[in-house]
Amino acid sequence: MAEEKTGNPEQYTSQGILKTVFSRLKRNENLYLAFTNPKVVFGISLFSAVLLFALLGPYFTEYGINEFAGIGSPASRAAPSGEHPFGLTMQGYDVFTRTVHGLRATILVGFVGGLIASFIGLIIGLIAGYRGGMVDEFLMGLTNVFLTFPQLPILIVVAAYLPYRGIIHMAVLVGLVIWPWTARAVRSQTMSLKNEEHVALSRISANSTPRILIEDIAANMFSYIFMVFILQYMGTIMATVGLEFLGLGPTRGVSLGLVMQHAVQSGALYLGYWWWGILPGLFLMLMIFSLYFLNTGMDEVFNPELREL
Amino acid sequence: MGKYFGKKLIIYIITFFIAVTINWLAPRFIPGDPVTSLLAQYQGPAAGRQMLETRLRTLFGLEGSLIQQYINFWANLLRGDLGRSILQFPREVSEIVKNNIIYDIAVLLPAISLSWIVGNKIGAMAGENEKIDRYIMPLFYGFVSSPYFWFAIIVVFVFAHSLGWFPTARAYGAGVRPAFTLNFIIVFLRHWFLPFFTMFLVGLGQWSIGMRNMVIYEIESNYANYLRSLGARQKLIRNYAFRNGVLPQVTGLAIQLGQIVSGAITVQVVFDYPGLGRLMYQAVQQQDFFVLQGAFLSLILMVLAANFLIDIIYMFIDPRIRLSYSEEE
């Protein structure tokens, strides 16, 4: 605070700003450690790059997702070129166009589905961990049941009967199935937090249970919840893409899984159209890869035991 | 230990119960009536349409009160009757499932167990060896970041198309008849290898990463430090760390099983390799709802059985559970 009051002229130069940013970050030790951890920095950079690619990609193509862009043999026109950086499909669609639009849809589903799953898991985990006893037994039984279920088959059976599936339908469907991971993780954190003094104090002050859960417990595992959200985001994306690949994705529009399903169904791999099957999935893989790094890095930041100092 | 098993068993029974209920609920309560959508494909005289509709309603068990329907559903199931395929009409679903599940087991059992064993070894090495950690682990992170089917696509492209080492599609060649001859076994193994290889590699990444993190944690723990201060050899500490790290990996195996089976569904589609996954995929495409439900239920049963097996194994290798058992006696 002191340096702001003196009105140091240096604070307006770029170096000065950087200095203030770092001094502020240093006050918040965790944030400082996060932004100086190479794994976190690498993860965030790669993730942002894929995100930017999905956001800006559509502005770099002149074709629509179902627009005929030209046709040719895999050896000549259909192969990746300056005009079609990701090549063409057998039907003459531009793979780049379909990839960026599909990636957008997949990221959206992952985000919404991840939020839903984290939310359900958070509530169940908080209540089970805080209440204990029979409530805990029941909720954890439920969690274990959902954990034993293979996710994709259950999603297939439900999705197969749905006549219309939008992006939000998909997100809700997947979110409703994959929450148990969060519930388990949040429960164990809650159990270790609920015996802390500040929670006891809050209880003596006659604060309501929801308030204690939100202000005294959930607020204290924010970093943890964030990491859980990342995991659920990854889980949603993996499950969604699997469904899309089986032809059970959104009924309208294009998705990454759908592009690859078409490639496999058309025998693209045997006919030499490798870009059609491999390039769309590459961005998905890079995104998940970056998040793994981000999560491992954050684990090091928030679990001092793992820190490499 | 009886309590440990009892609890697990209850969870498995509830899971199965929910799976059956989902099968029962799906055609009844999800918008989009399967009977209507099947009738839409019928192009014939109106009288035939009426007959077909009543026939389909009987097949789906849509007659009588809901409670009656639900009881009938269970009764049929417990008799082992999973219904008949709509497309290959007189064939029973249970027979179709039986013909497919062999291939799931043939691929998954060796792929999962081998990747688990080898992955644990590599992971334990990576936890100690800086070089392995630096060069192999990023590759493994790449493996686990890939959706199974995308990984399968790459494997098909590299090993089946570009190098041409292995055939794909079907479990054996079109003109070959299953027999106990050397020729057939070779053909079978050549078709089997790539689906197995894909599942193996992804699993390898998964278990290595898990074991690596576990070993790093164990080596820094108090008991390891104490052993070190006593002057114990590194090899001894490593052994203890490994034994402690293996236990969570067994639990992890039970938890990941659903994920792996889910991945196998898409892998079978890429390789066009038979199995319950490809069966489900075809059933979805052809709207053969009874095959879909039968395959779903069999998959769940398979996962539950495997889970139960892992529980038994866990009991044998975790001294805490084993010892509490002998104390009870």
Side-chain angles (χ1 to χ4, degrees), chain B residues 121-143:
Chain B
K121 285 268 183 285
I122 296 181
M125 284 198 291
E128 279 197 314
N129 189 326
E130 190 81 4
K131 257 189 191 153
I132 297 179
D133 197 27
R134 186 150 296 170
Y135 296 110
I136 296 187
M137 279 301 136
L139 185 72
F140 282 178
Y141 268 108
F143 286 178

Side-chain angles (χ1 to χ4, degrees), chain B residues 233-308:
Chain B
R233 273 172 301 142
Q234 188 62 22
K235 199 183 160 205
L236 185 72
I237 300 173
R238 196 186 303 148
N239 279 347
Y240 277 114
F242 186 79
R243 281 188 62 182
N244 272 316
V246 155
L247 285 179
Q249 291 285 86
V250 179
T251 329
L253 186 58
I255 291 175
Q256 290 293 327
L257 218 58
Q259 237 38 350
I260 299 171
V261 169
S262 296
I265 295 178
T266 56
V267 168
Q268 286 170 3
V269 172
V270 175
F271 288 105
D272 196 15
Y273 193 81
L276 290 178
R278 196 185 68 165
L279 190 66
M280 279 185 96
Y281 176 70
Q282 288 169 343
V284 167
Q285 304 257 308
Q286 301 161 343
Q287 296 200 304
D288 199 339
F289 293 106
F290 298 113
V291 173
L292 177 65
Q293 296 193 339
F296 168 69
L297 216 56
S298 317
L299 260 183
I300 302 271
L301 271 179
M302 193 168 82
V303 171
L304 291 184
N307 256 306
F308 195 63

Side-chain angles (χ1 to χ4, degrees), chain A residues 156-185:
Chain A
I156 293 174
V157 166
V158 176
Y161 285 100
L162 280 176
Y164 170 76
R165 297 177 298 270
I167 287 182
I168 299 301
H169 291 93
M170 300 286 298
V172 173
L173 198 63
V174 177
L176 283 177
V177 175
I178 66 164
W179 57 265
W181 297 97
T182 316
R184 269 196 146 185

Side-chain angles (χ1 to χ4, degrees), chain A residues 28 32 37 41 50-51 56 58 107 145 159 203 220 247 277 282 301:
Chain A
N28 187 339
Y32 174 76
N37 181 302
V41 173
V50 178
L51 204 63
L56 301 180
I107 289 176
V145 166
R203 214 177 293 146
N220 274 311
L282 182 67
V301 172

Side-chain angles (χ1 to χ4, degrees), chain A residues 214-230:
Chain A
I214 295 168
E215 288 182 9
D216 299 314
I217 295 181
N220 274 311
M221 45 184 191
F222 185 74
S223 61
Y224 196 73
I225 294 172
F226 184 66
M227 280 163 63
V228 161
F229 170 70
I230 294 179

Side-chain angles (χ1 to χ4, degrees), chain A residues 25-43:
Chain A
L25 277 178
K26 259 184 192 158
R27 254 178 269 151
N28 187 339
E29 192 199 9
N30 278 342
L31 223 53
Y32 174 76
L33 281 170
F35 283 108
T36 48
N37 181 302
K39 279 178 193 153
V40 173
V41 173
F42 173 77

